[in-house]
Amino acid sequence: MRTDRQPLTTVRNLGILAHVDAGKTTLTERVLYATGAVHKRGEVHDGTTVTDFDAQERDRGITIFAAAVSCTWDAHRLNLIDTPGHVDFADEVERSLRVLDGAVAVFDAVAGVEPQSEAVWRQADRHGVPRIAFVNKMDRAGADLDAAVASLRDRLGTVPLVVQMPVGREDTFTGVVDLIRMQALVWDEGSGPAAHTAGPVPQELRAEARRRRRLLDETVAGLHPEALEEFCAHGSVTEEVLGRALRALTLGGEGVVVLCGSAYRNRGVEPLLDAVVAWLPSPADVPPVRGTRDGAEQERAADPAGPFTALAFKVTATTTGRLTYLRVYAGTLRKGDQVLDAGTGRTERIARILRVQADRHAETEEAVAGDIVAVVGPKAARAGSTLCTPRSPLVLEPPQVAEPVVTVAVEARRSTDTGRLATALARLAEEDPSLVVRTDAETGQTVLSGLGELHLEVAVEKVRRDHGLDVVVGRPRVTYRETLLRGVSGLVYRHVKQDGGSGQFAHVVIDVAPLDAQGGEHVTDERGTGFAFRSTVVGGRVPQEYARAVEAGCRDALAEGPLGGHPVTGVRVTLTDGATHSKDSSELAFRAAGRFALREALRACEMQLLEPVSDVSVTVPEDAVGGVLGDLAARRGRVTGSITQAGTTVITATVPLAELFGYASRLRSRTQGRGTFTARPAAYAPVPRPVAEAALAR
């Protein structure tokens, strides 16, 4: 056991973000190798990487679970999280981004910005996480740094600040030109950590390097006052001023530094680590974390001497016990401390504090502000729980949880295993909040909902492997929604109940309309339900507290629609009139009135079924395009574009999620195994009448 406290300015908490197969895990492995944290390079295809330690990750060759590792570079500690790239595990990325200070976004030098790399970029935008970009796989046939940079500019709307250019192309790629120091960095074949040579820029590249450096100076000068002043005075920007400007622009999100390399061949990793240290923020650079205490907002700065405050962002059950992963925002946590779960009011004891290296751990005596650690002891904390000192409680905003879109029925093959299955599914939902377990009211079946077919497949396989259960799984079903096509006005509902003693009385009059009925606007409330409520009652006929109770009752009614019991979205309710009773009216009575009134109104409205649709990107050989387009049309897909380059066509389309089940195997058979596709949830769209009738009849 040890303590390894470092100054806040020498800590970097960063994530590796990218589309699946862009090389995140390989880059993480090379970072660990370059920093000396491991002494042998692991490979994804061999199943020997540090961060893809789960058996399913190694079998499938993809990252499924966000894995944390720590290493040291240039006297700085890097707490690094390798995140999944598949859209079905976007919730793992969301929870990781919630606690990270910076990120490295990895892009394929051939494909540029891909659908899921765009999705994780938008997630990072929402969290305000500064990023630098690494264009990977520069040794691949068709690799083009300029095309990849153009896709960053066009598809992500960012300002790329390119600080390197490649030495050699495709299979002759051997290094990079550092445009800031104007020197060439070259790696030998099979080179070890930091085994590169720095020298003058090759003669044949000097003119192009000078052109690119001037372009960098001009771009930075247009964004940063100090750089502009120097550029106007001298026609160029010095290395020192350029470095300060790049850091300021990165932290402010005004530009993104772009580097390049080949993680697989161990080229470009060390300059990337230097860039992380130089330009990504430390915990001291980020704003104080904000939370609520007794309804008032408070801030906590990253001060080891302040009141202990941490956010749990991941929970896992291991063979040695339950691990709760924390980002410590303020204060110091020591082994044996009592901490408060601010959301539940429960006090827990910290038995052990662990530095995490994927599936391996090193015990330490304390964790301070800025640290990312795992702790043993808390039994009830969930992902999103705030752990803090009991003397100064504070509730931090938890990470957003994505709404499930795919459902399967799950049951144990042997009736004697039913209890064990319930326990296993409850543990799954505890570890992954985006998994929802419930019992179907009509069939009595146990239903598991998640973010996609692969997400559920991995969850069920985890039950089978970890708990030794033989599980039967039903065919996946999508989660539908219901919405209004035409509303009703002036619906009157009187809630009167008399059981002896004080009764219940509430009288309400409501108008119900589609949410976009006024001015064509789209409104989604903070809960994401697509619901808006307002009261136009005058004269105090319905007091404000009762109006709020009516709103709460209306929200209750949105859980089940009249078509098939699906959640309702896109509803605007206006409370226009009502009446109270001097003794029998209460918030409870008006909440019940709101619930029953909206249910009755929805039955009178013209309703429509909605289904989830996905943005799909299909990459196929040119000779298979016709068959793939026909198959997409048969799946009710709407093609939105196609791009052909180097004998390969990328087709983009919008396809109902229900039609994508089994598409991977179908695509492989149509393209002799050469086609690939990605899909990410886009929105909910109306279901055609014949399809809706069939869905509601099931």
Side-chain angles (χ1 to χ4, degrees):
M1 291 186 293
R2 66 185 191 276
T3 60
D4 43 4
R5 183 181 296 194
Q6 289 187 254
L8 285 179
T9 55
T10 63
V11 175
R12 299 289 184 273
N13 294 316
L14 68 145
I16 307 294
L17 312 174
H19 184 90
V20 65
D21 286 337
K24 298 179 311 302
T25 300
T26 300
L27 178 60
T28 304
E29 195 71 20
R30 297 307 187 263
V31 166
L32 295 177
Y33 182 57
T35 58
V38 298
H39 302 292
K40 182 180 179 181
R41 291 178 290 185
E43 305 294 351
V44 172
H45 54 268
D46 293 334
T48 56
T49 59
V50 171
T51 52
D52 282 357
F53 58 84
D54 185 85
Q56 289 200 71
E57 293 179 311
R58 293 183 170 177
D59 289 348
R60 298 173 188 271
I62 62 171
T63 300
I64 296 172
F65 309 106
V69 293
S70 292
C71 55
T72 302
W73 180 258
D74 192 22
H76 287 67
R77 185 171 70 240
L78 311 183
N79 297 319
L80 190 150
I81 297 181
D82 178 23
T83 65
H86 197 285
V87 64
D88 281 18
F89 308 104
D91 210 54
E92 286 273 329
V93 182
E94 184 73 20
R95 293 197 298 274
S96 299
L97 283 170
R98 175 65 178 81
V99 299
L100 293 173
D101 300 326
V104 174
V106 183
F107 300 92
D108 188 311
V110 178
V113 176
E114 297 173 272
Q116 187 57 15
S117 50
E118 183 175 354
V120 296
W121 188 274
R122 302 302 179 206
Q123 285 179 286
D125 280 343
R126 288 200 308 273
H127 289 279
V129 175
R131 281 140 282 169
I132 57 179
F134 182 72
V135 179
N136 193 25
K137 302 187 179 183
M138 289 296 299
D139 56 324
R140 278 188 61 192
D144 188 333
L145 175 62
D146 292 336
V149 169
S151 71
L152 263 71
R153 184 185 298 108
D154 298 339
R155 296 192 59 178
L156 302 180
T158 188
V159 179
L161 306 171
V162 185
V163 298
Q164 292 178 346
M165 62 174 282
V167 175
R169 290 180 58 85
E170 301 177 349
D171 58 350
T172 64
F173 172 74
T174 57
V176 299
V177 173
D178 181 342
L179 298 176
I180 297 177
R181 297 177 178 84
M182 292 302 286
Q183 62 180 6
L185 307 175
V186 179
W187 284 261
D188 296 327
E189 188 68 37
S191 59
H196 62 276
T197 57
V201 179
Q203 181 66 39
E204 65 274 15
L205 297 178
R206 287 179 185 173
E208 179 64 14
R210 284 194 294 269
R211 185 189 72 81
R212 289 176 180 255
R213 170 57 188 268
R214 181 162 183 88
L215 180 62
L216 176 63
D217 285 351
E218 291 174 351
T219 305
V220 171
L223 298 170
H224 192 268
E226 184 184 4
L228 177 61
E229 183 177 341
E230 184 162 287
F231 186 80
C232 291
H234 305 289
S236 63
V237 183
T238 63
E239 179 182 329
E240 292 76 14
V241 172
L242 191 56
R244 288 197 297 271
L246 290 172
R247 177 172 171 79
L249 295 174
T250 300
L251 297 186
E254 300 168 80
V256 176
V257 172
V258 181
L259 302 96
C260 63
S262 168
Y264 179 69
R265 296 188 182 277
N266 210 50
R267 295 170 185 171
V269 177
E270 295 86 359
L272 176 63
L273 289 168
D274 291 336
V276 165
V277 168
W279 297 316
L280 285 184
S282 73
D285 295 316
V286 298
V289 67
R290 303 173 74 90
T292 56
R293 179 179 182 181
D294 298 329
E297 194 170 272
Q298 286 190 359
E299 291 185 346
R300 293 267 167 94
D303 180 6
F308 170 70
T309 310
L311 183 71
F313 66 95
K314 185 178 176 69
V315 175
T316 60
T318 69
T319 54
T320 57
R322 190 176 189 270
L323 288 181
T324 304
Y325 290 77
L326 303 179
R327 162 64 193 267
V328 182
Y329 283 101
T332 299
L333 177 67
R334 296 182 177 84
K335 178 182 174 181
D337 281 355
Q338 295 283 340
V339 298
L340 175 71
D341 185 332
T344 65
R346 176 174 176 151
T347 301
E348 308 254 28
R349 180 180 175 275
I350 302 299
R352 299 168 65 201
I353 304 173
L354 306 171
R355 296 276 177 209
V356 183
Q357 198 78 345
D359 59 338
R360 293 171 292 159
H361 314 100
E363 196 161 345
T364 185
E365 289 289 338
E366 65 177 24
V368 301
D371 277 343
I372 292 178
V373 295
V375 296
V376 178
K379 295 180 174 58
R382 299 289 189 95
S385 295
T386 302
L387 299 183
C388 56
T389 176
R391 299 186 304 276
S392 185
L394 189 74
V395 179
L396 304 180
E397 181 183 356
Q400 292 183 352
V401 178
E403 190 175 349
V405 293
V406 181
T407 297
V408 293
V410 183
E411 61 182 34
R413 191 176 295 275
R414 296 187 297 270
S415 59
T416 54
D417 288 337
T418 301
R420 291 178 59 208
L421 176 61
T423 301
L425 291 175
R427 180 172 293 178
L428 266 184
E430 183 179 322
E431 293 185 7
D432 185 352
S434 60
L435 288 170
V436 176
V437 182
R438 63 179 177 85
T439 301
D440 189 284
E442 294 183 4
T443 65
Q445 290 179 303
T446 299
V447 174
L448 180 65
S449 302
L451 302 183
E453 196 173 4
L454 180 60
H455 189 209
L456 294 180
E457 188 181 314
V458 166
V460 171
E461 185 63 24
K462 190 172 176 63
V463 169
R464 289 181 175 136
R465 292 191 184 196
D466 294 358
H467 300 273
L469 290 169
D470 191 1
V471 179
V472 180
V473 181
R475 186 180 185 275
R477 295 184 296 116
V478 301
T479 304
Y480 291 99
R481 294 287 181 270
E482 298 176 25
T483 193
L484 277 69
L485 283 179
R486 187 175 294 107
V488 296
S489 299
L491 186 134
V492 180
Y493 188 86
R494 288 169 58 87
H495 178 70
V496 181
K497 190 174 182 182
Q498 197 72 43
D499 293 330
S502 296
Q504 293 185 19
F505 177 89
H507 175 91
V508 297
V509 182
I510 61 172
D511 293 345
V512 180
L515 189 58
D516 59 355
Q518 296 182 11
E521 86 277 23
H522 176 73
V523 180
T524 301
D525 76 342
E526 68 279 4
R527 296 175 178 82
T529 56
F531 171 72
F533 179 90
R534 67 188 181 116
S535 173
T536 60
V537 180
V538 295
R541 292 176 59 81
V542 180
Q544 188 63 37
E545 62 269 22
Y546 290 168
R548 286 195 293 268
V550 174
E551 178 181 359
C554 290
R555 290 186 186 278
D556 296 339
L558 296 175
E560 294 184 2
L563 290 180
H566 306 292
V568 180
T569 187
V571 180
R572 178 187 301 280
V573 176
T574 305
L575 178 63
T576 60
D577 201 0
T580 63
H581 187 277
S582 59
K583 292 183 179 180
D584 292 344
S585 289
S586 64
E587 291 185 24
L588 180 64
F590 272 89
R591 180 164 185 159
R595 180 169 64 252
F596 293 126
L598 184 54
R599 283 181 182 175
E600 187 174 313
L602 291 176
R603 286 193 291 269
C605 292
E606 184 179 349
M607 302 292 292
Q608 183 176 52
L609 195 66
L610 302 176
E611 65 179 343
V613 297
S614 296
D615 287 335
V616 177
S617 177
V618 189
T619 303
V620 295
E622 281 187 89
D623 57 7
V625 169
V628 170
L629 288 174
D631 190 37
L632 287 173
R635 294 173 185 270
R636 297 191 285 127
R638 181 173 59 85
V639 175
T640 56
S642 66
I643 301 174
T644 300
Q645 56 183 12
T648 299
T649 299
V650 179
I651 303 167
T652 54
T654 301
V655 185
L657 180 60
E659 302 291 346
L660 288 176
F661 297 138
Y663 182 60
S665 57
R666 180 68 173 169
L667 179 65
R668 282 194 294 269
S669 67
R670 280 190 172 274
T671 61
Q672 290 78 49
R674 296 176 294 167
T676 60
F677 88 102
T678 59
R680 59 188 178 96
Y684 276 84
V687 183
R689 184 177 294 275
V691 179
E693 290 173 352
L696 293 172
R698 285 198 292 267

